Amino acid sequence: MILKRLSFIAGLLGASFSLIAAEPATVRIGTLATGTVHWEVAAMRHGGLDKANGVVLDVTMLAGPDAGKIALQGGSLDVIATDWIWVARQREKGADYSFVPYSSHQGVLMVKADSAIRTLADLQGKRLGVVGGGLDKNWLLLKGAAQQKYGLDLAAQAEPVFGAPPLLAQQLKQGRLDALLTYWHFAARLESEGFRRLIDGREVLRDLGVNSEMASLGLVFREGWVRRNRAGLEGLLKGMDGAREALCTSDEAWATVAPLSGETRPEVLAALRRGYCEGRITETGAAQAASAEKVYALLRRFGGAGFAQGGGGLPPGVFWSAPAR
């Protein structure tokens, strides 16, 4: 009788553990209202890719990129999207953040369609808008490429103007800037309005001897969180891969997220979709880490003392590698 009872209890416990194992993993993710991660989260939910991959997405809308970093550091979010350089800086300080490549989009240098500016050398003496600050990755790499290819010091021989993307885009339209280095989605909008792409970050990387398909943005999380929630991360990554594919191949899937861009003009929406799909990651793993090593060294060289903080090279563990089960 005792053995039968023990067997019955063991059976109940086994069934309970099976139910627990089958429970979907909750992932707390932060997104920007008009960001592409928000598009993919919406596409995942619309296509049932969250449930199919065993995850429940607890989404927080962020006021800005810095809000996501603060929330991740404070423990109220599990995953955000940001660049690998921030991860490298945090690892230099002893934090355990890690990065999975998400987008290869780099900065884009835009000019008016009829501008006489044809190469970086033509920026000499011109007013150049730069999104971000003086240590922004896109700005440092553009400066390095101009110096290396043309012997031009953009910081000294052009007139850089730093600011927010919408403000600088407006100044370019008004003719108060001669060129603008901006983010890809603002560049896509400008292109749809007749502005011309002078050079983008992929070309800059090629000029500097770096793989042009390397990641700029990725999903970032703590390694400690992954050790406790590996199924959640894997489900999220699979679901986002599926959403990305759907957005680039299915007009119906794209139509569900297009309103999230804040745009209604068909030509702008087409440009945004085209630009988004061009930024999909094609290489991961060791190739990405090797390219990042080169870029990090270049940034330390071009950024001088302002950028060169902490250790000498890219800290190990910046790019997440799944340990064997």
Side-chain angles (χ1 to χ4, degrees), residues 264-298:
T264 57
R265 292 168 291 175
E267 67 277 11
V268 178
L269 288 170
L272 288 173
R273 186 184 189 187
R274 183 171 58 252
Y276 164 77
C277 295
E278 287 173 354
R280 289 190 292 175
I281 292 294
T282 57
E283 291 186 349
T284 56
Q288 287 287 345
S291 295
E293 285 273 9
K294 293 180 182 178
V295 171
Y296 206 58
L298 289 169

Coordinates of all heavy atoms in Angstrom, one line a residue, residues 264-298:
T264 N 2.4 57.4 -43.6 CA 1.3 56.9 -44.4 C 1.6 57.0 -45.9 O 0.9 56.4 -46.7 CB 0.0 57.8 -44.1 OG1 0.4 59.2 -44.4 CG2 -0.4 57.7 -42.7
R265 N 2.6 57.8 -46.3 CA 3.0 57.9 -47.7 C 3.5 56.6 -48.3 O 4.5 56.1 -47.8 CB 4.0 59.1 -47.9 CG 3.5 60.5 -47.5 CD 4.6 61.5 -47.5 NE 5.4 61.2 -46.3 CZ 6.5 61.9 -46.0 NH1 6.9 62.9 -46.8 NH2 7.2 61.7 -44.9
P266 N 2.9 56.1 -49.3 CA 3.3 54.8 -49.9 C 4.8 54.8 -50.3 O 5.5 53.8 -50.0 CB 2.4 54.6 -51.1 CG 1.2 55.5 -50.9 CD 1.7 56.6 -50.1
E267 N 5.3 55.9 -50.8 CA 6.7 55.9 -51.3 C 7.7 55.8 -50.1 O 8.7 55.2 -50.1 CB 7.0 57.1 -52.1 CG 7.0 58.4 -51.4 CD 5.6 59.0 -51.3 OE1 4.6 58.3 -51.6 OE2 5.5 60.2 -51.0
V268 N 7.3 56.4 -49.0 CA 8.1 56.4 -47.7 C 8.1 55.0 -47.1 O 9.1 54.4 -46.7 CB 7.7 57.5 -46.7 CG1 8.5 57.4 -45.5 CG2 7.8 58.8 -47.3
L269 N 6.9 54.4 -47.1 CA 6.7 53.1 -46.5 C 7.5 52.1 -47.3 O 8.1 51.2 -46.8 CB 5.2 52.7 -46.5 CG 4.4 53.4 -45.4 CD1 2.9 53.1 -45.6 CD2 4.8 53.0 -44.0
A270 N 7.5 52.2 -48.6 CA 8.3 51.3 -49.5 C 9.8 51.5 -49.2 O 10.5 50.5 -49.2 CB 8.0 51.6 -51.0
A271 N 10.2 52.7 -49.0 CA 11.6 52.9 -48.7 C 12.0 52.4 -47.4 O 13.1 51.8 -47.2 CB 11.9 54.4 -48.8
L272 N 11.1 52.5 -46.4 CA 11.4 52.0 -45.1 C 11.5 50.4 -45.1 O 12.4 49.8 -44.5 CB 10.3 52.4 -44.1 CG 10.4 53.9 -43.7 CD1 9.1 54.2 -42.8 CD2 11.6 54.2 -42.9
R273 N 10.6 49.8 -45.8 CA 10.6 48.4 -45.9 C 11.9 47.9 -46.6 O 12.5 46.9 -46.2 CB 9.3 47.8 -46.6 CG 9.2 46.3 -46.6 CD 8.0 45.8 -47.4 NE 7.8 44.4 -47.2 CZ 6.9 43.7 -47.9 NH1 6.2 44.3 -48.8 NH2 6.8 42.4 -47.7
R274 N 12.2 48.5 -47.7 CA 13.4 48.2 -48.5 C 14.6 48.3 -47.6 O 15.5 47.4 -47.5 CB 13.5 49.0 -49.7 CG 14.7 48.7 -50.6 CD 14.6 49.4 -52.0 NE 14.5 50.8 -51.8 CZ 13.4 51.6 -52.0 NH1 12.3 51.0 -52.3 NH2 13.5 52.9 -51.9
G275 N 14.7 49.5 -46.9 CA 15.9 49.7 -46.0 C 16.0 48.7 -44.9 O 17.0 48.2 -44.5
Y276 N 14.8 48.4 -44.3 CA 14.8 47.5 -43.2 C 15.3 46.1 -43.6 O 16.1 45.5 -43.0 CB 13.3 47.3 -42.7 CG 13.1 46.1 -41.8 CD1 13.5 46.1 -40.5 CD2 12.4 45.0 -42.3 CE1 13.3 45.0 -39.7 CE2 12.2 43.9 -41.5 CZ 12.6 43.9 -40.2 OH 12.4 42.8 -39.5
C277 N 14.8 45.6 -44.8 CA 15.2 44.3 -45.3 C 16.7 44.3 -45.7 O 17.3 43.2 -45.5 CB 14.3 43.9 -46.4 SG 12.6 43.7 -45.9
E278 N 17.2 45.4 -46.1 CA 18.6 45.4 -46.5 C 19.5 45.3 -45.3 O 20.7 44.9 -45.4 CB 18.9 46.7 -47.2 CG 18.4 46.8 -48.6 CD 18.6 48.2 -49.2 OE1 19.1 49.1 -48.5 OE2 18.3 48.4 -50.4
G279 N 19.0 45.6 -44.1 CA 19.8 45.5 -42.9 C 19.8 44.2 -42.2 O 20.4 44.1 -41.1
R280 N 19.1 43.2 -42.7 CA 19.1 41.9 -42.1 C 20.5 41.3 -42.0 O 21.3 41.4 -42.9 CB 18.2 40.9 -42.8 CG 16.7 41.3 -42.6 CD 15.8 40.2 -43.2 NE 15.9 40.0 -44.6 CZ 15.3 39.1 -45.3 NH1 14.6 38.2 -44.6 NH2 15.3 39.1 -46.6
I281 N 20.8 40.7 -40.9 CA 22.1 40.1 -40.6 C 22.3 38.8 -41.4 O 21.4 37.9 -41.5 CB 22.3 39.8 -39.1 CG1 22.4 41.1 -38.3 CG2 23.5 38.9 -38.9 CD1 23.6 41.9 -38.6
T282 N 23.4 38.7 -42.1 CA 23.7 37.5 -42.9 C 24.8 36.7 -42.3 O 25.0 35.5 -42.7 CB 24.0 37.8 -44.4 OG1 25.1 38.7 -44.4 CG2 22.8 38.5 -45.1
E283 N 25.6 37.3 -41.5 CA 26.7 36.6 -40.8 C 26.6 36.7 -39.3 O 26.3 37.8 -38.8 CB 28.1 37.2 -41.3 CG 28.4 36.9 -42.7 CD 29.8 37.3 -43.1 OE1 30.4 38.1 -42.3 OE2 30.3 37.0 -44.2
T284 N 27.0 35.7 -38.6 CA 26.9 35.7 -37.1 C 28.2 35.0 -36.6 O 29.1 34.7 -37.4 CB 25.7 35.0 -36.6 OG1 25.7 33.6 -37.1 CG2 24.4 35.6 -37.0
G285 N 28.3 34.9 -35.3 CA 29.4 34.2 -34.7 C 30.7 34.8 -34.8 O 30.9 36.0 -34.7
A286 N 31.7 34.0 -35.1 CA 33.1 34.4 -35.1 C 33.4 35.6 -36.1 O 34.2 36.4 -35.9 CB 34.0 33.2 -35.4
A287 N 32.7 35.5 -37.3 CA 32.9 36.6 -38.3 C 32.5 37.9 -37.8 O 33.2 38.9 -38.0 CB 32.1 36.2 -39.6
Q288 N 31.4 38.0 -37.0 CA 31.0 39.3 -36.5 C 32.0 39.8 -35.4 O 32.3 40.9 -35.4 CB 29.6 39.1 -35.9 CG 28.5 39.0 -36.9 CD 28.2 40.3 -37.6 OE1 28.6 41.4 -37.1 NE2 27.5 40.3 -38.7
A289 N 32.4 38.9 -34.5 CA 33.3 39.3 -33.5 C 34.7 39.7 -34.1 O 35.3 40.7 -33.6 CB 33.6 38.1 -32.5
A290 N 35.1 39.1 -35.1 CA 36.4 39.5 -35.8 C 36.3 40.9 -36.4 O 37.2 41.7 -36.2 CB 36.8 38.5 -36.8
S291 N 35.1 41.2 -37.0 CA 34.9 42.5 -37.6 C 34.8 43.5 -36.5 O 35.4 44.7 -36.6 CB 33.7 42.5 -38.4 OG 33.8 41.7 -39.5
A292 N 34.2 43.2 -35.4 CA 34.0 44.1 -34.3 C 35.4 44.5 -33.7 O 35.6 45.6 -33.2 CB 33.1 43.6 -33.2
E293 N 36.3 43.5 -33.6 CA 37.6 43.7 -33.1 C 38.3 44.8 -33.9 O 38.9 45.7 -33.4 CB 38.5 42.4 -33.2 CG 38.1 41.4 -32.1 CD 38.9 41.6 -30.8 OE1 39.6 42.6 -30.7 OE2 38.8 40.7 -30.0
K294 N 38.2 44.7 -35.2 CA 38.8 45.7 -36.1 C 38.2 47.1 -35.9 O 38.9 48.1 -35.8 CB 38.7 45.3 -37.6 CG 39.4 44.0 -38.0 CD 39.2 43.7 -39.4 CE 39.9 42.5 -39.8 NZ 39.7 42.1 -41.3
V295 N 36.9 47.1 -35.8 CA 36.2 48.4 -35.7 C 36.5 49.0 -34.4 O 36.7 50.3 -34.3 CB 34.6 48.2 -35.9 CG1 33.9 49.5 -35.5 CG2 34.3 47.8 -37.3
Y296 N 36.5 48.2 -33.3 CA 36.8 48.8 -32.0 C 38.2 49.4 -32.0 O 38.4 50.5 -31.4 CB 36.7 47.7 -30.9 CG 36.4 48.1 -29.5 CD1 35.2 48.9 -29.3 CD2 37.2 47.8 -28.5 CE1 34.9 49.3 -28.0 CE2 36.9 48.2 -27.2 CZ 35.7 49.0 -27.0 OH 35.4 49.4 -25.7
A297 N 39.2 48.8 -32.6 CA 40.5 49.3 -32.7 C 40.5 50.6 -33.5 O 41.2 51.6 -33.1 CB 41.5 48.3 -33.3
L298 N 39.7 50.7 -34.6 CA 39.7 51.9 -35.3 C 39.0 53.0 -34.6 O 39.5 54.2 -34.6 CB 38.9 51.7 -36.6 CG 39.5 50.8 -37.7 CD1 38.5 50.4 -38.8 CD2 40.7 51.5 -38.3

